[in-house]
Each structure stands twice: as C-alpha cells, then as structure tokens.
Amino acid sequence: MKFHVESLHLWLASGETRTLSFLPNKVNVITGASHTGKTAILDIFDYCFFASRHRISESIINENTLWYGLKIHVNDKVYTLARRAPSGTTVSSDYYFSSIGEIPEKAPKANIQEPALKVLLGADFGIDQDVRIPFGGQYLQTGSRISLRYFLLFNTISQDIITHSEQFFDKQDQPRSREALPRIFDIAVGIDTVENILKRDKRAQLEKRLARLQKQLVKRDENREAFYGELAETTSRAMSYGLIADNSDAEHAVATLQRMVVERETGPESFVSRRHEEISAELYRVSRKIKGLRKFLGEYTKHKEVLSETADSLKPISSLRSNHADTVRTSVFFEILERLEEGLQEIKTEISKKNPLDSNVGELIKELEGQREQLQGELQALPSSGAIFENEKERYIFIGETKAKLELFAETNGNSSRNFEADIANLEKQIGELTVLSAEERQKHFTSVLDETIQEYISSAKVALGNYGQYRSAFDYKEKKLHLRKPKTAFIENVGSSSNHMFLHLFLFLGLHEIIMANGGQHVAPFLIIDQFSRPYWGDDENGSAKSEQPAEQDRDVNESDVAKVHTALKLLDHFISQANGMGKEFQIILFEHINPKYWEGLENFHLVEIFRDGNALIQGTQASS
C-alpha cells in the first residue's frame, strides 16, 4: 500500500487558510515551544478520519477554525477530505471530498455522507465490506463490519502512551478501540488474510449448521422414543377395547391407530367386525391350503406304494429270463420279456430316487399351521361384541386422546422424512473442502520474526538502553506488548525508566511496519505520527536544551547523556526511512518535538516543516495547546 500526507489545511473564521506541507519518504518535523498546537495536529488528523469524539482544543484552535482538512496520496490517487469543525464537544457529520485533491480557497461545502466516504477510502485500504469482526465483545458485536479507523491504531504514538509502561497502542482507554485491536491485529500485520477470514467465517457457519442438524437429529430420535413410549400405553388400551389386534410393530401400531381415528365416524364395531371378517377369511384360505397340501401328500404316498406293489409283481420276470429253456416260447416271448424287464427297471429307479417333495410339503404345512394358530389366537382376542365402552362418550374421549397424541407425534416428527444423514454428510464434505490456514501457527511464526526484527533495532540502540542493551526482544502476542528478556533465560525484565519505555514503543512500531511492508500489507498505511518522544529528557524551554546536559569541563560521557539518547532515537528513525526506501517501499513519519534542528543535522531523511516559536504556531500569532 502507498500512502502519505501532502498537507494539512485549516479554514479559519477570519477567511484565511492555514497550511502545513509534508514530504513523502521523510521524517517531517514540527518543532517548537509548548502550547503552540503541535499535538493538536494529531487530533485534527484523527478527527478528519471519522472520529466520533474529538480532543481538539476549543480555546484558540477550534474557536477560530471552520473546517479541518487533509490532502493525501493513496495508491497513486490524490484525495482531499475535510470535515466541519466540531461545535463544542459535538462532532460534525459534514464532510467534503475531492477525488482529485482539489483544495477549496474558501471554507468547503459538505458534498458527501460519512458512510459513503468510509466505503470509498476503505476500498483503498483493502477493507472488504464482507469482512466482519471475527469474535464479539461488550462493545463490538460479532459480525459487525471492520472499520478503517481500527487500522489507524498502527499509525500513531501519542505523547500519552510513548512512555507508558503497559500500553503500546493509542486509544486503549476507549472500549471500542481496546476491543478492536486484538480483532484486527492479525489482518493488519499479515498473519491472516481477508480470503482466509472469509473461508474461516464460511467454515464457522457450516459448522454451526452442522451442529444444528446433529442436534435436530438427536432431538428427533429422542422425540420418537418418547412418543413410542407413550404409544405403548395407548396401544395396550386400544387392544383391550379391541380397536387394534396387536402392537408387535410400533410403525404398524401407529398406522392402525391413525386408521382407527379416521374411521371413528363409522361406529364402534366397524373395525372389530371388519377385522373379524378379515381374520376369518384368512383362516379359511390357510385351512384350504393345508387341506390341499395334505391331500396331495396322501396321493403322492399312495402313488409310491402302487409303484412298489407293481415292482413286486414283476419280480418273476427275472426267473423267466433265467429258466427260459424250460419255458414254452412263442415268437414274441423275448420281446415281451425285455419290455417287462425295462418297465421293472424304471419302477425301481423311480422308487429309489431321493425326492425332497415329502419334506418340502411337510414344512409348508407346518408353516401354514403356525399361521392358522396365530390367526385363531387373534380371532379369539377380538371381543365378541362392540359393547366394550361403558358409553359412546367414553369411546369418543379415548379416540380424541389418541388423535391428539398422533397429531403431536406428527408435529415433533415433522422432519422424520428429512434425510438428516445425507445433509450432515454434505456439510461435512463442504467443511472438508475448505482449506483454512491455522492462525495459531502463523501467530507463533510472526512473533518469532518480529522479535528478530526488533532485535536489530535493540542492537543499534543498545548504548541508549544502558544495562538492557544486551537483552532480547520478547513480544507478548496476547497482550500486544513488547518486553525485554534477559539473555538465555525466560525472565522478563521490568525496564523501569520512561526512557527505556520510549525506546520500546519505537522498536515495536518500527518492527511492525517493517514486517507489514515486507508482507505487502494493504490495510495499514505506511506512515507514522510520533508526538514528542524526547519527553523523558527534554525540557519545554524555548531553546530546546537537555535537562541533563552538563558543562563540557565535567567530562561527562556523552553516550550516557540524554542528548545522546535523543540523537540515537533520531538516527533510528532516519535509518528506518532509508531501509524502507531500500526495500522499494515508501514511508512517511511526522514528528512533533521541542528539540532544536541542530540535533538531526547530518541525517539525510529529515525535513523541517516549521518551527513553532516567536509567535509562529498552528494558529498564527497565538498560543494553543501543545
């Protein structure tokens, strides 16, 4: 992403316009005395970027200003955005926007609504409108859109936090910003991507649907079990009244009870009578089959007996064949004898066959007899008459209760026809096809790379850190804080002084931006506003002299002086700009300070914007909040 601020504009009530100009790829310094409006510039920047409350000083600055505006370069585009000055503590909803960077000579006129401007700028910051807050909190709801303002947390180090021992990001006293930071951090630094977030969100939705389906499936089965438990009693009563024959099968019992309810208008005896007729008819058919099979079996047995008797009667044929010499023979004797022998052989063969017909018919008769016995038992179970209820009212009450239970079953079992198993399998397949990168592993990798990056800054500034110059970077991912770890131990040191905390803030933000640029980040703009990092050492006097600066004759070691520490911090910023340019990237720093320009002499990437002294201030000829 490319971004830099070209100029800041104040349209004053006097009709004049106050302009401050900045350069890209530079450390742009506004230095000067206190109460000249330096810090107000940071507040104005925040106000123009949709702040819902403001900290611009009412005295001198706000009371003399009609509109505030910025001319910015974003991804080779030039924009001007301006916002009407707040009225007291109430922020304005009036915005002016120019897509070609036009600066009105007189106070602008509102020409765009805030939501539309947010969408327009959000697109340049790579903020997809479909990307939502991944997890909610007390002030940010899950699923709410990610705001451009959340990423601006990476672009400012205000004087309120630059020496803070616990807070490293601005606006952490504001609940929404405090909750937003952990929710957008991974996207901002490149741990996560919009595509991966959308995939993770889709997977979460699919998993939610899957859990809901699985719960419905379990509930359906539980309801069915509960109903069939209730069904047992109803079925038993229906049997005792003779309304159904048996309850051996639950589904069959339901169908029978439903038919009973439908036919309740036909009278109390209709079902019993019809069932009696059905059983009687079936008994008759079964009995006919048994009788026919038994008759067949008897005839078959007689047939075999006749064959056996015939075989016995033909036994003398063998004697005739053996003694044919003693027999009076005719011309056809041997022909007749041969045919008789053939017939005898055929009979013997038929008799000797092992035919399963006997056993098959016997088994079939046995099975039919079992059916007949069951039908007879069912027939005996039916009442001989319809007088099974004390009165018709009792009959209709029972049928009504049964109908209500069946309707309740139909409601709770409404999804019984739905193929939950197929739907669940389909969702599991979709979830399996989504390749979502593990955020946890990438977080560990990022922390390791960030510590390596910051360690280089620690090494370059180790003299200013004194006893902690050899300590190791220890970024706390969960708390979003930078600590120093004693070498070869897990011990986290309490670095104590505000000077060391100032350096930790610089180390962290420079390290974050270096990684963001290396990853081609498109959500965090490559610029940084730093408000008075020299506060731990520098006085507010007009000359900008160091509080601890001593006369030369005292022969104080310059490496331990506050002047040297400030110079180390300035060289750190200068080196960062050079390093960014060496990566082929653009980066802009805007620095508010009290120090004298002589302290950055010789540093190639510094640009003096203005010196707010001797009557020169943000609002010319006045003294305002610093």
Side-chain angles (χ1 to χ4, degrees), residues 188-205:
V189 301
I191 292 175
D192 218 339
T193 64
V194 170
E195 180 184 6
N196 201 48
I197 289 172
L198 293 176
K199 285 184 178 180
R200 187 182 295 114
D201 182 61
K202 183 178 181 180
R203 186 177 67 178
Q205 293 177 7

Side-chain angles (χ1 to χ4, degrees), residues 8 40 59 118 139-140 143 239 251 253 265 279 288 301 317 321 327-328 409 443 465-466 473 510 526 538 555:
L8 171 76
S59 175
K118 281 184 175 180
Y139 297 92
L140 292 178
M239 287 180 60
E251 297 290 345
E265 300 294 336
I279 295 174
R288 285 286 304 273
T301 302
I317 298 301
R321 168 67 71 179
T327 306
V328 178
F409 171 72
Q443 289 164 1
L465 295 175
S473 171
L510 296 181
W538 223 252
D555 195 24

Side-chain angles (χ1 to χ4, degrees), residues 20 65 205 265 351 366 503:
L20 294 174
T65 306
Q205 293 177 7
E265 300 294 336
I351 293 173
K366 186 177 180 180
F503 273 102

Side-chain angles (χ1 to χ4, degrees), residues 309-508:
E309 291 174 358
T310 303
D312 291 340
S313 65
L314 291 177
K315 286 181 180 180
I317 298 301
S318 300
S319 178
L320 288 174
R321 168 67 71 179
S322 302
N323 302 301
H324 64 84
D326 300 328
T327 306
V328 178
R329 300 183 296 274
T330 64
S331 57
V332 295
F333 174 79
F334 286 105
E335 181 181 352
I336 294 173
L337 188 62
E338 184 176 351
R339 291 188 177 183
L340 288 173
E341 285 180 336
E342 291 175 356
L344 177 60
Q345 187 60 42
E346 289 177 0
I347 291 172
K348 288 181 178 180
T349 301
E350 187 67 26
I351 293 173
S352 64
K353 284 183 180 179
K354 294 183 179 181
N355 198 323
L357 183 60
D358 293 352
S359 59
N360 287 348
V361 173
E363 289 296 326
L364 185 56
I365 291 174
K366 186 177 180 180
E367 181 180 342
L368 289 172
E369 286 178 339
Q371 291 182 19
R372 182 171 65 180
E373 184 177 349
Q374 182 178 351
L375 290 170
Q376 287 172 342
E378 186 176 345
L379 187 63
Q380 291 176 357
L382 291 175
S384 57
S385 67
I388 54 177
F389 294 101
E390 293 183 2
N391 50 54
E392 287 296 297
K393 180 180 178 181
E394 183 181 343
R395 169 182 172 270
Y396 281 110
I397 289 175
F398 174 76
I399 292 176
E401 291 175 350
T402 304
K403 179 183 178 183
K405 291 177 182 179
L406 291 172
E407 288 176 347
L408 179 61
F409 171 72
E411 292 178 2
T412 57
N413 202 43
N415 291 326
S416 61
S417 60
R418 181 176 180 180
N419 192 341
F420 280 100
E421 290 77 7
D423 292 342
I424 289 173
N426 182 46
L427 285 175
E428 289 175 339
K429 180 182 178 182
Q430 293 183 55
I431 292 171
E433 291 174 348
L434 283 175
T435 303
V436 181
L437 300 177
S438 171
E440 184 176 352
E441 288 300 319
R442 293 171 67 87
Q443 289 164 1
K444 292 179 180 178
H445 177 70
F446 166 80
T447 301
S448 176
V449 173
L450 180 61
D451 281 334
E452 288 181 20
T453 303
I454 291 175
Q455 195 61 45
E456 295 182 5
Y457 298 130
I458 293 175
S459 298
S460 66
K462 62 182 179 181
V463 173
L465 295 175
N467 295 333
Y468 304 111
Q470 300 298 325
Y471 276 53
R472 314 301 296 177
S473 171
F475 177 67
D476 186 331
Y477 172 83
K478 182 179 180 181
E479 298 294 330
K480 307 296 184 290
K481 299 176 183 178
L482 178 62
H483 301 288
L484 291 181
R485 176 177 58 83
K486 190 174 182 179
K488 299 181 180 180
T489 72
F491 178 72
I492 300 299
E493 183 65 68
N494 179 10
V495 297
S497 73
S498 59
S499 172
N500 290 332
H501 287 300
M502 179 275 291
F503 273 102
L504 290 182
H505 282 72
L506 292 182
F507 294 158
L508 176 59

Side-chain angles (χ1 to χ4, degrees), residues 208-220:
K208 189 175 182 179
R209 287 170 55 192
L210 177 62
R212 186 165 57 247
L213 276 182
Q214 291 172 334
K215 186 177 181 180
Q216 289 176 348
L217 178 61
V218 171
K219 186 175 182 180
R220 184 197 69 178

Side-chain angles (χ1 to χ4, degrees), residues 99-331:
S99 61
I100 58 173
E102 183 179 1
I103 306 294
E105 292 183 5
K106 297 182 179 181
K109 293 183 179 179
N111 64 358
I112 191 170
Q113 296 293 317
E114 181 177 298
L117 185 54
K118 281 184 175 180
V119 171
L120 190 150
L121 290 176
D124 287 305
F125 277 72
I127 301 174
D128 194 309
Q129 291 299 298
D130 292 330
V131 180
R132 307 301 178 103
I133 294 294
F135 53 97
Q138 185 177 356
Y139 297 92
L140 292 178
Q141 295 182 351
T142 302
S144 57
R145 284 193 177 95
I146 291 180
S147 171
L148 163 66
R149 283 185 56 78
Y150 300 153
F151 294 100
L152 297 178
L153 293 171
F154 291 82
N155 299 118
T156 63
I157 309 177
S158 71
Q159 62 176 325
D160 293 336
I161 67 161
I162 197 164
T163 59
H164 203 292
S165 62
E166 295 296 327
Q167 293 183 12
F168 279 78
F169 289 85
D170 274 320
K171 300 184 177 67
Q172 295 306 288
D173 59 331
Q174 301 175 19
R176 291 182 66 84
S177 295
R178 185 170 60 251
E179 289 186 358
L181 180 60
R183 288 157 177 78
I184 57 93
F185 187 87
D186 287 2
I187 309 174
V189 301
I191 292 175
D192 218 339
T193 64
V194 170
E195 180 184 6
N196 201 48
I197 289 172
L198 293 176
K199 285 184 178 180
R200 187 182 295 114
D201 182 61
K202 183 178 181 180
R203 186 177 67 178
Q205 293 177 7
L206 291 174
E207 289 175 343
K208 189 175 182 179
R209 287 170 55 192
L210 177 62
R212 186 165 57 247
L213 276 182
Q214 291 172 334
K215 186 177 181 180
Q216 289 176 348
L217 178 61
V218 171
K219 186 175 182 180
R220 184 197 69 178
D221 293 341
E222 290 176 348
N223 289 339
R224 287 171 65 89
E225 289 181 9
F227 172 78
Y228 285 130
E230 182 71 18
L231 177 69
E233 180 186 357
T234 304
T235 303
S236 178
R237 291 180 62 193
M239 287 180 60
S240 67
Y241 292 141
L243 297 176
I244 62 174
D246 65 80
N247 66 335
S248 58
D249 181 82
E251 297 290 345
H252 176 70
V254 171
T256 305
L257 289 173
Q258 288 173 335
R259 184 174 61 179
M260 175 199 74
V261 171
V262 170
E263 296 175 349
R264 67 189 184 279
E265 300 294 336
T266 60
E269 299 177 346
S270 61
F271 176 83
V272 177
S273 300
R274 186 174 62 256
R275 185 58 181 156
H276 195 285
E277 292 176 359
E278 290 174 355
I279 295 174
S280 298
E282 186 67 18
L283 270 174
Y284 176 74
R285 285 192 294 272
V286 171
S287 297
R288 285 286 304 273
K289 288 181 180 181
I290 293 173
K291 183 178 180 181
L293 288 173
R294 283 178 175 171
K295 183 177 180 181
F296 168 78
L297 190 59
E299 293 293 334
Y300 181 70
T301 302
K302 288 180 180 181
H303 169 69
K304 291 181 67 175
E305 290 175 353
V306 169
L307 287 177
S308 180
E309 291 174 358
T310 303
D312 291 340
S313 65
L314 291 177
K315 286 181 180 180
I317 298 301
S318 300
S319 178
L320 288 174
R321 168 67 71 179
S322 302
N323 302 301
H324 64 84
D326 300 328
T327 306
V328 178
R329 300 183 296 274
T330 64
S331 57

